[in-house]
Amino acid sequence: MNLETYYEYCLSKKGVTEHFPFDEDTLVFKVGEKMFALSSLKQWEMGNPSVNLKCNPERALELRAEYDAVQPGYHMSKIHWNTIAINQDVDDSLIKELIDHSYDLVFKSLTKKKQIEITEIKN
């Protein structure tokens, strides 16, 4: 996966916005003002891309046991976040599935009112 594919995939989801809340390097994608994916642009440029994605705690443990590229979330809650090294032993289709999973977890945590507002957005 390359940065453009990651970027476009995240932005293709309903109600997603991009931010740089921490610094000029860390690209954060949010839905309903809550983070669901973040990544260092410098690491992409250096050839060491990774993304932090929210994950169900049980699934997070399973993924970490199965894939070397899946580690506890860097600078995040180790229970609810994974850091996935891109272009290692996790294929692009699974990365997209994990982006979807992260988005869905965050979306479901939003108020019903916010969920309806996002659902009604025309993409």
XYZ file of all heavy atoms in Angstrom, residues 1-13 16-20 26-30 36-37 39 41 44 51 86 95-96 99:
284
model
N 0.854 -1.178 0.000
C 0.000 0.000 0.000
C 0.895 1.233 0.000
O 1.900 1.269 0.690
C -0.915 -0.015 1.234
C -1.806 1.208 1.348
S -2.996 1.154 2.722
C -4.163 -0.038 2.118
N 0.498 2.223 -0.755
C 1.235 3.477 -0.734
C 0.412 4.545 -0.007
O -0.757 4.321 0.317
C 1.629 3.917 -2.146
C 0.427 4.180 -3.046
O -0.610 4.679 -2.614
N 0.548 3.823 -4.311
N 1.040 5.671 0.245
C 0.396 6.739 1.009
C -0.875 7.231 0.319
O -1.898 7.458 0.974
C 1.376 7.894 1.243
C 0.839 9.110 1.984
C 0.294 8.724 3.354
C 1.924 10.163 2.124
N -0.827 7.378 -0.990
C -1.991 7.881 -1.718
C -3.189 6.935 -1.568
O -4.309 7.381 -1.337
C -1.637 8.057 -3.199
C -2.754 8.659 -4.015
C -2.366 8.891 -5.467
O -1.178 8.763 -5.812
O -3.270 9.199 -6.255
N -2.947 5.638 -1.657
C -4.021 4.657 -1.501
C -4.610 4.730 -0.098
O -5.839 4.748 0.080
C -3.491 3.234 -1.778
O -2.969 3.197 -3.100
C -4.586 2.192 -1.630
N -3.738 4.785 0.915
C -4.183 4.904 2.309
C -5.015 6.177 2.494
O -6.120 6.143 3.037
C -2.960 4.902 3.232
C -3.227 5.369 4.641
C -3.947 4.591 5.539
C -2.741 6.595 5.089
C -4.194 5.016 6.839
C -2.974 7.028 6.384
C -3.703 6.242 7.252
O -3.937 6.673 8.532
N -4.482 7.290 2.022
C -5.125 8.597 2.161
C -6.509 8.585 1.503
O -7.503 8.961 2.117
C -4.215 9.650 1.523
C -4.735 11.051 1.558
C -4.554 11.855 2.673
C -5.393 11.600 0.460
C -5.021 13.152 2.699
C -5.869 12.889 0.476
C -5.690 13.670 1.597
O -6.156 14.950 1.626
N -6.564 8.143 0.250
C -7.830 8.155 -0.480
C -8.847 7.193 0.131
O -10.039 7.489 0.169
C -7.588 7.823 -1.955
C -6.895 8.952 -2.691
C -6.542 8.614 -4.131
O -6.844 7.481 -4.583
O -5.967 9.484 -4.797
N -8.370 6.044 0.616
C -9.288 5.083 1.222
C -9.917 5.661 2.490
O -11.139 5.561 2.679
C -8.585 3.754 1.525
C -9.567 2.683 1.895
C -10.332 2.065 0.917
C -9.768 2.325 3.217
C -11.275 1.100 1.245
C -10.708 1.357 3.562
C -11.459 0.752 2.573
O -12.401 -0.188 2.903
N -9.109 6.257 3.334
C -9.649 6.851 4.566
C -10.631 7.972 4.251
O -11.714 8.040 4.840
C -8.514 7.365 5.453
S -7.542 6.062 6.236
N -10.272 8.837 3.307
C -11.145 9.972 2.979
C -12.412 9.561 2.246
O -13.366 10.336 2.190
C -10.384 11.005 2.139
C -9.575 12.033 2.904
C -8.982 13.061 1.945
C -10.360 12.725 3.996
N -12.449 8.368 1.684
C -13.631 7.920 0.945
C -14.790 7.549 1.875
O -15.922 7.406 1.422
C -13.282 6.718 0.061
O -13.079 5.551 0.844
N -14.514 7.421 3.153
C -15.540 7.019 4.099
C -16.389 8.233 4.499
O -15.900 9.348 4.565
C -14.881 6.364 5.319
C -13.961 5.213 4.870
C -13.454 4.399 5.977
C -14.282 3.205 6.274
N -14.980 2.534 5.200
N -15.573 11.727 6.970
C -14.177 11.739 7.417
C -13.522 13.079 7.102
O -13.699 13.643 6.026
C -13.379 10.582 6.778
C -11.893 10.719 7.047
C -13.881 9.255 7.306
N -12.762 13.557 8.076
C -11.975 14.779 7.902
C -10.532 14.477 8.270
O -10.255 13.547 9.028
C -12.508 15.909 8.800
O -12.550 15.459 10.157
C -13.897 16.356 8.357
N -9.609 15.256 7.702
C -8.189 15.073 8.002
C -7.690 16.243 8.839
O -8.144 17.369 8.682
C -7.370 14.947 6.721
C -7.451 16.162 5.812
C -6.614 16.012 4.569
O -5.383 15.974 4.678
O -7.207 15.958 3.480
N -6.755 15.939 9.740
C -6.252 16.937 10.675
C -4.775 16.691 10.978
O -4.259 15.597 10.756
C -7.027 16.864 12.008
C -8.502 16.972 11.840
N -9.163 18.160 11.907
C -9.445 16.034 11.589
C -10.459 17.958 11.710
N -10.649 16.665 11.507
N -4.140 17.707 11.523
C -2.775 17.612 12.056
C -2.785 18.194 13.469
O -2.208 19.244 13.722
C -1.783 18.367 11.155
C -1.529 17.700 9.847
C -2.327 17.968 8.737
C -0.502 16.783 9.708
C -2.095 17.346 7.531
C -0.252 16.156 8.498
C -1.057 16.433 7.403
N 2.064 14.251 11.813
C 1.100 13.193 12.115
C -0.263 13.507 11.505
O -0.993 14.362 11.993
C 0.968 12.986 13.637
O 2.272 12.802 14.188
C 0.103 11.785 13.947
N -0.575 12.778 10.435
C -1.856 12.929 9.755
C -2.895 12.098 10.495
O -2.713 10.890 10.691
C -1.734 12.453 8.301
C -3.018 12.372 7.482
C -3.682 13.748 7.361
C -2.724 11.794 6.105
N -3.986 12.747 10.899
C -5.048 12.091 11.661
C -6.349 12.160 10.866
O -6.727 13.217 10.372
C -5.239 12.787 13.034
C -6.425 12.199 13.784
C -3.965 12.687 13.862
N -7.003 11.022 10.755
C -8.326 10.976 10.148
C -9.347 10.804 11.262
O -9.172 9.978 12.164
C -8.433 9.813 9.149
C -7.617 10.030 7.918
C -6.411 9.377 7.748
C -8.044 10.899 6.920
C -5.637 9.569 6.617
C -7.278 11.107 5.780
C -6.073 10.440 5.629
N -10.423 11.608 11.169
C -11.464 11.587 12.189
C -12.832 11.398 11.540
O -13.055 11.805 10.401
C -11.501 12.914 12.961
C -10.277 13.204 13.794
C -10.445 14.515 14.549
C -9.266 14.816 15.435
N -9.499 16.057 16.212
N -9.837 7.862 14.133
C -9.906 6.430 13.859
C -8.645 5.929 13.161
O -8.394 4.719 13.116
C -11.166 6.051 13.063
C -11.146 6.447 11.614
C -10.695 5.558 10.642
C -11.586 7.695 11.212
C -10.686 5.907 9.305
C -11.582 8.056 9.882
C -11.123 7.161 8.928
N -7.817 6.842 12.627
C -6.568 6.429 11.968
C -5.570 7.576 12.037
O -5.942 8.739 11.883
C -6.830 6.053 10.511
N -1.110 8.481 11.220
C 0.134 7.988 10.650
C 1.135 9.130 10.496
O 0.760 10.278 10.264
C -0.146 7.370 9.276
O 0.993 6.750 8.759
N 3.720 11.052 8.356
C 4.074 11.254 6.944
C 5.573 11.057 6.716
O 5.984 10.528 5.682
C 3.627 12.646 6.492
C 2.112 12.885 6.514
C 1.799 14.311 6.069
C 1.373 11.871 5.660
N 6.395 7.448 6.146
C 6.055 7.021 4.782
C 7.191 7.412 3.838
O 7.626 6.608 3.018
C 4.741 7.642 4.306
C 3.508 7.026 4.876
C 2.877 7.382 6.034
C 2.751 5.939 4.337
N 1.771 6.588 6.236
C 1.659 5.703 5.205
C 2.871 5.148 3.185
C 0.711 4.713 4.967
C 1.912 4.166 2.957
C 0.866 3.948 3.835
N 0.475 2.629 10.389
C -0.749 3.347 10.751
C -1.231 2.850 12.107
O -1.055 1.681 12.440
C -1.869 3.184 9.695
C -1.465 3.808 8.381
C -2.267 1.747 9.506
N 3.143 -1.111 7.438
C 2.648 -1.292 6.068
C 3.700 -2.026 5.230
O 4.899 -1.854 5.429
C 2.321 0.086 5.436
C 1.352 0.880 6.320
C 1.785 -0.068 4.017
C -0.007 0.277 6.489
N -5.475 -4.557 5.597
C -5.307 -3.190 6.106
C -6.587 -2.390 5.877
O -7.064 -1.692 6.769
C -4.078 -2.500 5.486
C -2.807 -3.191 5.983
C -4.054 -1.004 5.821
C -1.540 -2.775 5.287
N -7.177 -2.524 4.693
C -8.434 -1.828 4.416
C -9.541 -2.320 5.345
O -10.336 -1.525 5.848
C -8.830 -1.996 2.950
C -7.962 -1.180 2.018
C -8.385 -1.361 0.581
C -7.546 -0.488 -0.335
N -7.944 -0.646 -1.751
N -8.956 -0.690 8.638
C -9.374 0.718 8.581
C -10.893 0.781 8.743
O -11.415 1.593 9.520
C -8.919 1.388 7.269
C -7.394 1.537 7.245
C -9.609 2.753 7.082
C -6.814 1.948 5.889
